[in-house]
Amino acid sequence: TDRKKLHTAPVGQVFRLRLFHVLVATGGGYAGYRKYEDYKLEQLEKRGIEVPVRLASEWEVALYKSVPTRLLSRAWGRLNQVELPTWLRKPVYSLYIWTFGVNMKEAAVEDLHHYRNLSEFFRRKLKPQARPVCCVHSVISPSDGKILNFGQVKNCEVEQVKGVTYSLESFLGPRISTEEMHFSQAPPGNSFQQQLVTKEGNELYHCVIYLAPGDYHCFHSPTDWTVSHRRHFPGSLMSVNPGVARWIKELFCHNERVVLTGDWKHGFFSLTAVGATNVGSIRIYFDQDLHTNSPSYSKGSYNDFSFISNNNKEGIPMRKGEHLGEFNLGSTIVLIFEAPKDFKFNLKAGQKIRFGEALGSL
């Protein structure tokens, strides 16, 4: 009668819990190890030493994906919306500013007590004169960030960083029907890359911009264009910092992303906002139906929305420099567009760039 009662749980439930904890611990530890490796690579690059490319194996990618980054990102998003006591705001924001090198002198509101939570601080607006928009060149940077790669698209492959590529079709998804675009498209018999080029003599170009956590988190229209279609890919939320982009092939195809496609004066134009760890949401200002990082999603799926069939067949006209959307934390923007062969980028790989500065022109 003095024996203690033992309460047991079903074996299957215990196994599932232990397996989850093992995956989280193993994946989290490996992610931490990768962060340390990334730091070492950054130090070598700063010293001018060329770093050889070493791609992750399938088991390494699977292990990284075992970390519940989507769940953690949603939790981080909710934490960001918790209102901080007035006395705590300055210490918390000051630590972030010091860690990531934020320039608060550019902020429209410099008083740290003004921002009720981390989410408001991340989405802070800039003073109007802080980012003058270049009027001379046809394509400007849509955001602050670091140029990871740029150039012509070749053989239906795009470079995310030097030496590491991803499939153009996997990234953008299947070709959009002609009815949803303002211009005629190439015959279906051509390659996917050729189908995107609508005018003879044009080429397809790309530019990848990485937004660090300390950068201005809003992004803007890079040129005068009309947005005809939105495609949302639910997916992983792995880190997209340059070290990971150098390590995981087709990283941008694994991650959640929002692809905006349309046309500009030279033909096809697209802007893709790529999600990342702790980027709980990607917001497009004119798209109220978009909801990213949903708890339920089907791997490899995507959903489409046409701004032509749902907007009186006109699409969404955007002016160069106009507000387009925002991230909750640093991430990546990929531009893929059609232009004449004499289009030239005014960039260097690895350089820092600010919203409004020229990317290239004719």
Side-chain angles (χ1 to χ4, degrees):
T1 57
D2 295 331
R3 290 179 182 176
K4 294 181 179 180
K5 293 182 179 180
L6 297 177
H7 298 275
T8 61
V11 175
Q13 182 180 351
V14 174
F15 178 76
R16 285 196 299 271
L17 287 174
R18 287 180 177 176
L19 179 60
F20 175 76
H21 293 152
V22 168
L23 288 174
V24 170
T26 306
Y30 193 74
Y33 166 74
R34 287 305 315 169
K35 286 286 186 182
Y36 174 68
E37 290 294 309
D38 296 340
Y39 171 77
K40 292 197 300 183
L41 291 175
E42 288 178 5
Q43 296 306 308
L44 291 174
E45 287 183 342
K46 287 180 180 179
R47 292 162 55 186
I49 301 174
E50 187 172 349
V51 181
V53 174
R54 188 191 76 82
L55 294 177
S57 61
E58 289 185 9
W59 73 265
E60 287 178 309
V61 176
L63 185 58
Y64 191 179
K65 283 187 173 182
S66 71
V67 181
T69 52
R70 294 180 62 85
L71 178 61
L72 292 173
S73 297
R74 285 194 295 274
W76 176 252
R78 293 191 180 96
L79 180 63
N80 288 349
Q81 295 173 6
V82 175
E83 185 169 345
L84 297 176
T86 305
W87 63 268
L88 188 59
R89 295 174 188 178
K90 188 170 183 179
V92 170
Y93 301 147
S94 295
L95 178 61
Y96 187 91
I97 290 168
W98 177 79
T99 303
F100 296 107
V102 178
N103 183 4
M104 284 302 294
K105 291 183 179 180
E106 298 177 333
V109 180
E110 297 184 38
D111 182 12
L112 298 180
H113 296 101
H114 169 80
Y115 303 99
R116 294 173 298 176
N117 51 48
L118 283 166
S119 182
E120 286 189 0
F121 179 72
F122 292 146
R123 295 182 285 107
R124 63 192 178 276
K125 303 302 180 184
L126 299 181
K127 295 173 182 175
Q129 67 274 18
R131 296 290 186 276
V133 175
C134 176
C135 299
V136 178
H137 297 278
S138 56
V139 184
I140 62 168
S141 175
S143 67
D144 289 5
K146 179 181 180 181
I147 301 295
L148 294 190
N149 215 301
F150 62 93
Q152 282 190 21
V153 177
K154 297 179 180 179
N155 302 319
C156 295
E157 292 280 327
V158 185
E159 280 194 317
Q160 58 192 32
V161 294
K162 185 178 180 180
V164 182
T165 63
Y166 56 93
S167 163
L168 179 65
E169 186 169 6
S170 297
F171 182 69
L172 295 178
R175 187 171 70 107
I176 301 167
S177 63
T178 305
E179 290 76 13
E180 296 188 30
M181 308 301 285
H182 282 293
F183 48 85
S184 60
Q185 294 180 310
N190 295 335
S191 69
F192 183 81
Q193 178 178 337
Q194 292 172 329
Q195 291 174 26
L196 297 181
V197 177
T198 64
K199 298 180 181 180
E200 187 175 352
N202 281 2
E203 297 287 348
L204 207 60
Y205 298 85
H206 74 99
C207 182
V208 183
I209 305 170
Y210 167 68
L211 288 74
D215 287 327
Y216 169 54
H217 287 20
C218 297
F219 51 93
H220 300 246
S221 176
T223 192
D224 296 333
W225 64 308
T226 299
V227 183
S228 304
H229 188 272
R230 178 258 292 161
R231 176 168 284 162
H232 172 216
F233 290 85
S236 301
L237 287 174
M238 295 184 283
S239 172
V240 292
N241 73 54
V244 177
R246 187 185 295 109
W247 179 55
I248 297 181
K249 183 178 174 64
E250 297 201 333
L251 171 65
F252 300 154
C253 298
H254 289 294
N255 272 16
E256 182 159 13
R257 59 197 182 278
V258 177
V259 182
L260 300 178
T261 55
D263 63 289
W264 70 318
K265 61 183 178 181
H266 297 297
F268 174 82
F269 199 97
S270 73
L271 180 149
T272 301
V274 183
T277 307
N278 290 338
V279 183
S281 67
I282 301 170
R283 182 183 175 194
I284 304 298
Y285 294 139
F286 56 74
D287 189 353
Q288 302 303 315
D289 296 319
L290 175 66
H291 300 286
T292 58
N293 196 11
S294 172
S296 59
Y297 77 102
S298 177
K299 183 179 179 181
S301 66
Y302 63 87
N303 57 76
D304 288 337
F305 185 87
S306 170
F307 296 110
I308 291 181
S309 59
N310 293 280
N311 194 49
N312 299 322
K313 297 189 179 298
E314 294 181 0
I316 306 295
M318 297 297 299
R319 303 294 296 175
K320 183 168 65 175
E322 185 178 352
H323 278 84
L324 181 55
E326 63 187 35
F327 295 109
N328 271 356
L329 203 62
S331 193
T332 296
I333 289 177
V334 180
L335 301 179
I336 298 175
F337 57 93
E338 173 185 0
K341 291 182 178 180
D342 55 352
F343 180 87
K344 300 294 182 183
F345 283 103
N346 305 317
L347 303 172
K348 292 182 180 179
Q351 80 172 70
K352 292 288 290 182
I353 197 164
R354 305 203 302 179
F355 155 61
E357 295 179 344
L359 289 181
S361 192
L362 298 171

